[in-house]
Amino acid sequence: MTTWVLLRGLMRDQRHWNGFDQRLRQKGLRVMTPDLPGNGTLSHELSPLKIADYAHVVWLQLDEQVQEGEAIYLLGLSMGGMLALEMARQRPWQIRHVFVLNSSAANLSAWYQRFNLLNALKAFFLRARGKALHPIESTIVRLTSFRHRRDCGLIAEWSEFRRESSPTVRNAWRQLWAAFQYQCPLTVEVPISVLCGDRDALVSMASSKALAQHFHTDLIVLAYCGHDAAIDAPAKLAHYLLAIVAPTKPQTEVQEDDEPAHAQYAHTQYSCNDLLEEEMAFNEAIFSVWDEKALSILHSKSSTMNSTKTGNSLPIRLSHDGLAYRC
């Protein structure tokens, strides 16, 4: 039996997966979303100043629910990626695969690549405003999401989360300090996959590229995706996670029921086609809106410049792949 452990980042908790954990459960996976000290259900606790201490706390939570010898997959977003790497360093024998999403390390990237302060300030001034929208949550969504930057419904929901429980200012600074100081290990004795969004306004793609080069693995870039890929492109992210781990399933030459090995192996594959179809359908819908806006602007400009001519329609088609590419 295997367990997927999803780890959120700075000042976030299990509620902010926004249904991504349920998406994996619908695939028949066992999923755990532990909170970190200072966040969510543990908001009353003091946040540690070192990523290693967060890892220790998460391992204590897992030890209560994961059977001995049970394989674990780790997915860490942002600071959660640092935590995933540290957990794998501490207990490599329990981890089958680590997925690091939009993360960084102090020994590999400059501070301005790890935290774009200018974009953070822009997000604050350009945030969506409303009576039910908390300014901090509105700023966070604006900064970390590409597709939902002004999604008032999402912001209102996360604002309610903040009213229910939120990290204290002290804990927020302690988490920031822990992330700022984190240095990834020279080696980790488990397979590692590094993913990032090509529209991440918070952490530079250079940070993810540095991690990929450090661990000698490909960088999987999710197109049209911001820092929080779990809300920007959940179907696409789930597809790549399952597509990567499926080939690692063990094969046996002879099964007890004399079923051919290749047939038994086929049963272990995760069905990912529906996830890609969902993502492509979403892309077609949202990109068609963007295309119409862009074409409308272009047509308007063309009409202004060629007001004395007829037939001003421009044969323009904006291109996009909507999936991912490797570096």
Side-chain angles (χ1 to χ4, degrees):
M1 187 169 187
T2 61
T3 296
W4 283 74
V5 179
L6 310 186
L7 304 166
R8 289 290 308 196
L10 190 69
M11 296 183 288
R12 304 286 87 181
D13 59 64
Q14 58 186 280
R15 299 170 298 178
H16 295 100
W17 284 111
N18 202 48
F20 181 75
D21 51 333
Q22 286 298 114
R23 182 180 292 274
L24 294 182
R25 291 188 182 98
Q26 290 170 1
K27 288 293 178 182
L29 305 178
R30 184 188 184 205
V31 181
M32 296 178 62
T33 55
D35 282 337
L36 306 184
N39 297 339
T41 57
L42 303 180
S43 60
H44 59 283
E45 297 187 8
L46 184 65
S47 296
L49 290 173
K50 295 182 179 180
I51 295 297
D53 294 333
Y54 289 93
H56 177 69
V57 172
V58 174
W59 275 123
L60 291 178
Q61 296 182 52
L62 297 184
D63 288 341
E64 296 179 355
Q65 303 182 56
V66 176
Q67 298 179 359
E68 184 176 355
E70 186 174 336
I72 295 174
Y73 291 100
L74 295 178
L75 168 64
L77 169 61
S78 194
M79 182 178 131
M82 307 173 198
L83 175 56
L85 290 172
E86 179 60 24
M87 290 177 63
R89 187 195 67 80
Q90 292 181 0
R91 299 191 193 179
W93 60 88
Q94 279 192 258
I95 308 300
R96 181 167 291 179
H97 203 112
V98 173
F99 295 92
V100 181
L101 177 60
N102 288 324
S103 194
S104 64
N107 56 330
L108 300 179
S109 303
W111 71 268
Y112 54 83
Q113 294 176 322
R114 305 180 66 206
F115 185 88
N116 193 316
L117 181 59
L118 180 60
N119 282 346
L121 293 174
K122 286 181 179 179
F124 176 76
F125 288 108
L126 297 176
R127 72 187 187 277
R129 289 170 168 79
K131 186 176 181 180
L133 309 183
H134 194 284
I136 293 180
E137 293 301 327
S138 186
T139 300
I140 290 175
V141 173
R142 174 80 193 192
L143 180 62
T144 61
S145 175
F146 176 69
R147 301 186 180 186
H148 300 277
R149 286 171 290 181
R150 301 189 67 83
D151 187 339
C152 292
L154 176 66
I155 299 170
E157 182 179 9
W158 286 14
S159 297
E160 184 60 30
F161 292 165
R162 175 168 287 274
R163 283 186 281 269
E164 293 172 358
S165 66
S166 64
T168 63
V169 173
R170 183 187 183 191
N171 277 339
W173 280 110
R174 292 175 69 89
Q175 292 174 37
L176 185 62
W177 178 256
F180 181 77
Q181 284 197 315
Y182 173 73
Q183 298 191 11
C184 72
L186 294 178
T187 59
V188 176
E189 298 177 1
V190 298
I192 296 174
S193 295
V194 181
L195 304 92
C196 72
D198 69 347
R199 300 298 197 274
D200 190 342
L202 178 61
V203 179
S204 170
M205 281 178 56
S207 295
S208 293
K209 187 174 183 179
L211 281 170
Q213 291 176 340
H214 180 75
F215 291 113
H216 306 289
T217 186
D218 289 340
L219 172 62
I220 301 175
V221 183
L222 305 178
Y224 299 100
C225 195
H227 185 71
D228 197 339
I231 64 172
D232 266 3
K236 177 168 34 181
L237 177 59
H239 165 79
Y240 281 100
L241 297 182
L242 300 183
I244 289 171
V245 303
T248 67
K249 295 287 185 177
Q251 301 185 45
T252 56
E253 293 184 1
V254 180
Q255 305 298 324
E256 292 182 358
D257 56 357
D258 295 327
E259 186 179 24
H262 64 84
Q264 179 71 14
Y265 177 62
H267 292 170
T268 68
Q269 302 298 305
Y270 297 110
S271 175
C272 303
N273 290 337
D274 61 322
L275 295 173
L276 270 188
E277 290 171 359
E278 177 184 344
E279 173 64 20
M280 294 176 70
F282 178 85
N283 287 344
E284 286 298 322
I286 192 169
F287 290 140
S288 63
V289 174
W290 293 349
D291 287 354
E292 289 177 5
K293 290 182 178 179
L295 291 174
S296 175
I297 294 173
L298 289 171
H299 288 157
S300 177
K301 290 182 178 179
S302 177
S303 298
T304 302
M305 296 173 62
N306 304 284
S307 58
T308 60
K309 299 180 180 180
T310 59
N312 291 322
S313 297
L314 299 178
I316 299 174
R317 174 68 177 176
L318 303 184
S319 63
H320 45 73
D321 58 26
L323 296 178
Y325 52 92
R326 292 175 182 265
C327 292

